Amino acid sequence: MQTLTAKIKQWAIDKGLDEAQPEKQMLKLIEEVGELAQGLAKGNLDQVIDSVGDVYVVLTILAMQMDLDITDCIAAAYDEISDRKGKMVNGVFVKEADLNV
């Protein structure tokens, strides 16, 4: 994964995307998430696979644009959820704090 992420970062640098506006990259993220939703809705596994990868690429570049490292962002998110308690409700994990709302 580290090798692929390094390749993504270099590709972004080569294309000048690391210096582009994060707001534009956010629009690209929404586009890719929409394609992921479409793939899920249509049961198109190839589109889902491509879209999950595209989302990771876009997030990696967005992190670069904001002078963040995607690995650090993922680690921070995991640290936050690692001990989270909750339960599944209608196929969605709901954290304990939101169960009492």
Side-chain angles (χ1 to χ4, degrees):
M1 190 67 174
Q2 290 176 338
T3 301
L4 284 173
T5 301
K7 288 180 179 182
I8 292 165
K9 290 178 179 181
Q10 188 57 58
W11 179 86
I13 291 167
D14 293 345
K15 305 295 184 199
L17 292 169
D18 59 318
E19 300 294 329
Q21 296 175 339
E23 296 81 7
K24 302 290 184 178
Q25 194 68 7
M26 184 62 197
L27 291 174
K28 186 66 175 173
L29 177 61
I30 298 303
E31 176 187 348
E32 298 298 352
V33 169
E35 291 176 9
L36 174 57
Q38 181 184 50
L40 285 168
K42 293 183 176 182
N44 184 334
L45 184 59
D46 289 337
Q47 185 174 356
V48 169
I49 292 168
D50 180 65
S51 296
V52 168
D54 287 346
V55 166
Y56 184 80
V57 168
V58 172
L59 284 172
T60 299
I61 297 167
L62 177 61
M64 290 177 70
Q65 292 170 343
M66 298 185 70
D67 201 27
L68 302 169
D69 185 274
I70 189 72
T71 305
D72 294 339
C73 295
I74 293 168
Y78 179 75
D79 286 346
E80 187 173 323
I81 67 164
S82 62
D83 294 323
R84 183 171 284 166
K85 295 179 179 30
K87 69 178 188 176
M88 293 292 287
V89 177
N90 297 323
V92 176
F93 183 81
V94 178
K95 62 184 175 181
E96 193 172 59
D98 291 341
L99 290 171
N100 301 323
V101 176

